[in-house]
Amino acid sequence: MSLLSLPRSLFSHSLSSPSHAITSRRNRCFSCSLSVSKTSNATSLAILWFKQDLRLDDHPGLLQASKFPALLPLYVFDHRILSRYNDEKLELVLYALEDLRKSLKKQGSNLMIKFGNAENVIKELVLEVKAADVFAEMEVEYHLREIMDVVEETLVRMASFDRNPGIVLWQTPFYDIKNLKVLPASYDEFEKLQLTVTPPLLPPRLPSAEMELDWGLLPTLDNLKKFVNESPSKWNESWALLKEMSNETISQKQLSKSGKVSLNNSNFKHTKRKRLDKSVFVTQKQNVVGGGTNSVLNALAAYLRYLEGTARDDWQEVHEKLRTAEIRDGASFFALFGPALCLGIISRRRVYHESIKYEKERNAGFLSPFGYSTATVSASADTVCSMEWYWLLLLRSQLSDGGAYPIRIWRWNGYLIQYTVVGNRGPAVLLVHGFGAFLEHFRDNISSISNDGNRVWAVTVLGFGKSEKPNVVYTELMWAELVRDFIIEVVREPVHLMGNSIGGYFVALVAYFWPALAQSVVLINSAGDIIPAYTSPQFTKVRATSGATWLGARLLLFSLRLSLGSVVKSCYPNKTERVDDWLINEMLRASYDPGVLVVLESIFSFNLSLALNYLLEGFKGKVLIIQGMKDPITDSKSKVAMIKEHCPGVVIRELDAGHCPHDEKPEEVNSIICQWILTIESRVLSQACS
């Protein structure tokens, strides 16, 4: 088994990197073996920094670090990391750390608990114990890589030893891939490689921790929440409330005020029940698997054996939760085990190994070429394989220097989301793409708008481009909540919201439900209808799936792959040359990603019944409509007429363009947008001064 250790140069940032001064160090490659660092000696010590790898099982970093004569396992409660966690995830962390410390103590070791910025904590420990190296898991999320950069820079600046300690990166290789830069960009090409999943590692024997140190105490949940909420990284209290306020809750309040019927949200009601003594549902909400690795493995065994039935109370509880979480075939696995996977309480390849082991038990030691024998095995194996693909794909995007924009990764509800940001001054602008597109669809808008004195974010929403395409029920309301959370967690200030096509509808939903997040709204050939005298919003997150949607998604995918070029060109009536090979190939690439069929099924269950004029009227802010009048999808002439009649105060700019004027005529659209932002910001400034 090889251990992947990479030079930190692979994690340098194109923007706002704190580590420009350590280029020479970043160019030094670490060893790619499990052997101890050649510079270590008989008295050297390693620090193992746990972050989102809260386990001893299948832990390559632990295996390498355990070869040192002494080992100091460390967990740092760093507010920059914890501020991204909700209360339930904080609770899961505490249970996992409690189990991790017990497991380490059984081996004569211990887990040090510290509070503060990781770089300060690690620096002090390195000086105190004279550590040779700090082992840390490779990360793909931008904010974690940024923290690791600061830690490394701090270590580089230390001059206490002949050889400064450094960070040794490790990962748990799901597949034996030597060079990520040659990873196929398309999943169908990746499947042709027929790579086998590498086997998981057993916990190694650890060196004792006979050191007179302050190992620290685990906090209570209340104390931890207080620590996180008081941190400078936490968004302000009013925004925290916005994040907790779903669109259903807001609509229920509005409907109750008007005396109208409430939404049907019976599927979202939570029934409290007494927790079993050996329950794997350890949090107060009791809806996700938690505890330590053995607890999660026990839950996985119950999940896989769902069809067998059981007399065990704890396994019956798993089966009951499975049925509740199975909102579509296979969706229950990530719903129950996703948080444990994201915190690293169990590894992806351990899940795969246990699933295949059980499958072989059912089939006399063989695997059928016709698929798995149970839906639970299929759900668990397919989910972790899909997660690994997107992790590799997005990690690969971090290693590439040839992109037009710096690619960053954000984790939302456990899923990896791709985004970019350009500019370091001026008003904040957020661009949201349409169905089937991705952030690069704004290829000629991002830099131009930024160069006019703005900071521009663009995000590839869940289910598109290189962002994950998990097995969930996709709705326009879910996508709106993603945009809301992106503003709160990543941008961290109100933005000028801009969206094309269905992305425009997402933007309108955000502005309506959470108006404090929007400085203004720009809709570019937005989806959504204008319905006169619309006053009674009735909608729900619940969407039924059927055999018809299953078949429809597959027929649609087959048709799109055959005719994608002509379909997209019809949306660019004046400049079909803008539909180049790059654009088509990127769309085709995404069409082969695991989970894409689930995304396409959403087309048949979209509910755009909240009228666009109703949403814009509820926003009460400034709105600009940019409408390509040759749109083949919408009757633009009729829509503009309806907007003029039923959306008072809205500014309309008609363009000689199709469905995607921002990409068909970027110079013209960029000029309109920049002038719009300047006008809005000038008004805001004048009001503030008056």
Side-chain angles (χ1 to χ4, degrees):
M1 180 63 57
S2 63
L3 175 70
L4 177 61
S5 294
L6 295 176
R8 290 291 292 152
S9 58
L10 298 181
F11 288 80
S12 60
H13 306 314
S14 300
L15 285 176
S16 305
S17 173
S19 310
H20 296 302
I22 57 176
T23 304
S24 60
R25 174 174 176 79
R26 288 182 175 282
N27 290 332
R28 179 173 67 84
C29 292
F30 292 101
S31 167
C32 291
S33 69
L34 284 174
S35 61
V36 181
S37 172
K38 293 180 180 179
T39 58
S40 65
N41 55 57
T43 60
S44 61
L45 176 145
I47 294 175
L48 179 64
W49 175 21
F50 287 99
K51 299 190 303 300
Q52 296 182 146
D53 51 313
L54 307 182
R55 64 182 187 275
L56 300 187
D57 176 73
D58 195 23
H59 198 299
L62 180 65
L63 178 60
Q64 184 173 2
S66 69
K67 297 181 183 296
F68 278 71
L71 172 64
L72 195 161
L74 168 70
Y75 184 85
V76 182
F77 284 99
D78 189 319
H79 56 79
R80 294 167 298 183
I81 298 175
L82 301 175
S83 63
R84 301 292 181 99
Y85 295 174
N86 59 24
D87 289 351
E88 185 173 38
K89 200 166 182 179
L90 291 174
E91 200 174 357
L92 287 173
V93 168
L94 290 178
Y95 277 107
L97 290 176
E98 182 181 19
D99 181 83
L100 185 60
R101 174 173 267 185
K102 288 179 181 177
S103 299
L104 286 165
K105 285 184 174 181
K106 287 180 181 178
Q107 289 218 43
S109 185
N110 204 339
L111 177 66
M112 179 168 285
I113 301 295
K114 292 287 187 180
F115 288 78
N117 288 356
E119 62 271 18
N120 297 332
V121 170
I122 291 173
K123 176 183 176 180
E124 291 173 4
L125 273 180
V126 165
L127 290 171
E128 182 177 2
V129 302
K130 295 181 171 56
D133 278 314
V134 178
F135 288 79
E137 185 178 20
M138 184 183 304
E139 302 290 355
V140 70
E141 297 166 63
Y142 176 77
H143 79 288
L144 291 176
R145 295 191 301 114
E146 197 172 35
I147 292 170
M148 291 173 69
D149 274 345
V150 177
V151 170
E152 186 183 27
E153 182 182 16
T154 301
L155 295 179
V156 168
R157 290 177 176 175
M158 293 175 61
S160 302
F161 309 113
D162 293 335
R163 172 188 172 272
N164 288 337
I167 290 185
V168 180
L169 296 177
W170 64 270
Q171 72 169 109
T172 307
F174 199 82
Y175 304 106
D176 189 13
I177 298 175
K178 304 297 184 185
N179 185 359
L180 274 181
K181 290 190 176 182
V182 298
L183 179 78
S186 179
Y187 189 68
D188 62 323
E189 293 297 321
F190 177 74
E191 285 188 303
K192 292 176 183 177
L193 299 178
Q194 296 184 325
L195 299 174
T196 57
V197 178
T198 57
L201 302 169
L202 294 175
R205 291 180 60 86
L206 303 180
S208 64
E210 296 179 357
M211 293 174 277
E212 294 296 326
L213 299 170
D214 179 7
W215 292 93
L217 298 174
L218 275 173
T220 64
L221 178 60
D222 287 341
N223 286 339
L224 181 57
K225 287 161 62 175
K226 182 179 180 181
F227 169 76
V228 173
N229 291 330
E230 290 177 351
S231 72
S233 294
K234 192 71 175 179
W235 42 84
N236 63 57
E237 185 176 352
S238 62
W239 278 37
L241 292 175
L242 287 179
K243 195 172 185 298
E244 296 300 321
M245 191 172 293
S246 70
N247 35 52
E248 292 101 336
T249 302
I250 296 171
S251 291
Q252 283 179 329
K253 289 182 178 180
Q254 292 172 341
L255 288 170
S256 63
K257 288 179 181 179
S258 63
K260 297 183 183 296
V261 180
S262 176
L263 299 176
N264 178 15
N265 284 315
S266 58
N267 288 343
F268 295 93
K269 293 179 180 178
H270 177 67
T271 302
K272 295 290 289 183
R273 55 170 291 175
K274 185 178 180 180
R275 184 181 295 126
L276 300 174
D277 290 339
K278 296 183 179 180
S279 176
V280 296
F281 298 94
V282 296
T283 65
Q284 295 177 18
K285 291 185 177 180
Q286 301 179 47
N287 58 2
V288 295
V289 172
T293 302
N294 288 334
S295 176
V296 176
L297 282 171
N298 177 46
L300 178 61
Y303 183 89
L304 294 172
R305 291 161 178 79
Y306 173 66
L307 293 180
E308 295 182 10
T310 179
R312 293 178 52 170
D313 289 344
D314 56 337
W315 282 23
Q316 286 181 5
E317 186 182 26
V318 173
H319 296 171
E320 178 185 333
K321 301 287 187 180
L322 185 161
R323 289 188 289 269
T324 303
E326 193 76 347
I327 56 175
R328 53 168 294 113
D329 292 345
S332 59
F333 178 76
F334 191 87
L336 298 180
F337 293 89
L341 281 163
C342 292
L343 288 174
I345 301 171
I346 189 172
S347 71
R348 292 192 288 271
R349 67 180 181 184
R350 174 60 72 185
V351 169
Y352 184 85
H353 173 77
E354 295 299 322
S355 301
I356 297 304
K357 179 182 175 183
Y358 175 64
E359 178 70 6
K360 288 181 177 179
E361 288 175 2
R362 289 178 53 86
N363 294 284
F366 296 98
L367 290 177
S368 169
F370 304 107
Y372 300 118
S373 61
T374 72
T376 51
V377 172
S378 178
S380 57
D382 289 348
T383 298
V384 293
C385 287
S386 176
M387 290 176 68
E388 183 68 15
W389 163 251
Y390 288 107
W391 192 88
L392 289 171
L393 187 67
L394 292 172
L395 179 60
R396 180 178 180 266
S397 72
Q398 309 298 300
L399 311 185
S400 174
D401 298 323
Y405 308 108
I407 297 300
R408 298 180 178 182
I409 308 303
W410 167 58
R411 190 180 291 276
W412 180 74
N413 289 356
Y415 308 117
L416 297 177
I417 305 295
Q418 186 184 53
Y419 74 98
T420 190
V421 54
V422 176
N424 52 24
R425 62 182 179 84
V429 181
L430 176 58
L431 307 176
V432 183
H433 61 82
F435 199 93
F438 29 80
L439 69 85
E440 292 91 347
H441 199 210
F442 296 104
R443 52 188 167 174
D444 291 326
N445 310 113
I446 296 172
S447 291
S448 179
I449 297 173
S450 172
N451 291 338
D452 204 60
N454 303 293
R455 287 167 297 139
V456 182
W457 279 263
V459 60
T460 300
V461 300
L462 195 73
F464 300 102
K466 291 186 175 72
S467 291
E468 275 198 69
K469 301 167 185 63
N471 185 8
V472 298
V473 177
Y474 292 86
T475 71
E476 65 288 341
L477 302 174
M478 177 269 287
W479 277 308
E481 289 184 351
L482 182 151
V483 175
R484 173 201 66 189
D485 292 350
F486 184 84
I487 298 170
I488 292 174
E489 293 187 15
V490 180
V491 183
R492 305 179 71 86
E493 65 181 273
V495 300
H496 294 276
L497 271 169
M498 304 182 184
N500 170 235
S501 191
I502 191 67
Y505 193 74
F506 304 160
V507 161
L509 286 170
V510 172
Y512 171 77
F513 286 115
W514 307 282
L517 302 179
Q519 292 279 42
S520 73
V521 168
V522 178
L523 304 182
I524 306 172
N525 284 65
S526 176
D529 295 326
I530 306 298
I531 304 176
Y534 182 91
T535 59
S536 180
Q538 295 289 330
F539 68 95
T540 175
K541 265 188 174 179
V542 180
R543 304 293 160 87
T545 58
S546 65
T549 59
W550 182 93
L551 179 61
R554 281 148 183 82
L555 292 175
L556 178 60
L557 181 60
F558 178 76
S559 173
L560 284 175
R561 285 176 179 168
L562 288 178
S563 58
L564 183 61
S566 60
V567 170
V568 178
K569 284 182 179 180
S570 70
C571 295
Y572 291 66
N574 295 325
K575 291 188 177 182
T576 56
E577 67 274 12
R578 291 286 294 171
V579 185
D580 53 18
D581 290 342
W582 171 84
L583 182 60
I584 296 301
N585 288 338
E586 279 298 304
M587 290 182 171
L588 283 174
R589 188 217 62 78
S591 77
Y592 288 97
D593 276 343
V596 71
L597 283 166
V598 181
V599 183
L600 288 178
E601 286 181 17
S602 67
I603 290 178
F604 302 96
S605 60
F606 271 158
N607 182 354
L608 308 186
S609 59
L610 283 176
L612 198 58
N613 53 304
Y614 178 83
L615 297 176
L616 298 181
E617 181 183 359
F619 170 50
K620 302 185 186 307
K622 298 299 182 180
V623 178
L624 169 66
I625 303 288
I626 298 176
Q627 189 72 24
M629 300 305 290
K630 293 182 178 178
D631 190 340
I633 298 175
T634 303
D635 182 353
S636 291
K637 186 176 181 179
S638 174
K639 188 164 189 174
V640 167
M642 293 289 284
I643 292 172
K644 290 179 178 178
E645 182 177 357
H646 300 286
C647 300
V650 169
V651 178
I652 303 172
R653 294 297 299 269
E654 301 176 23
L655 299 183
D656 182 23
H659 188 65
C660 309
H662 65 284
D663 194 42
E664 186 179 5
K665 293 189 172 183
E667 297 86 359
E668 192 170 347
V669 171
N670 293 341
S671 176
I672 294 172
I673 288 175
C674 290
Q675 184 59 47
W676 170 260
I677 296 172
L678 181 62
T679 301
I680 297 296
E681 292 294 325
S682 297
R683 290 176 181 173
V684 171
L685 182 62
S686 63
Q687 289 174 359
C689 295
S690 61

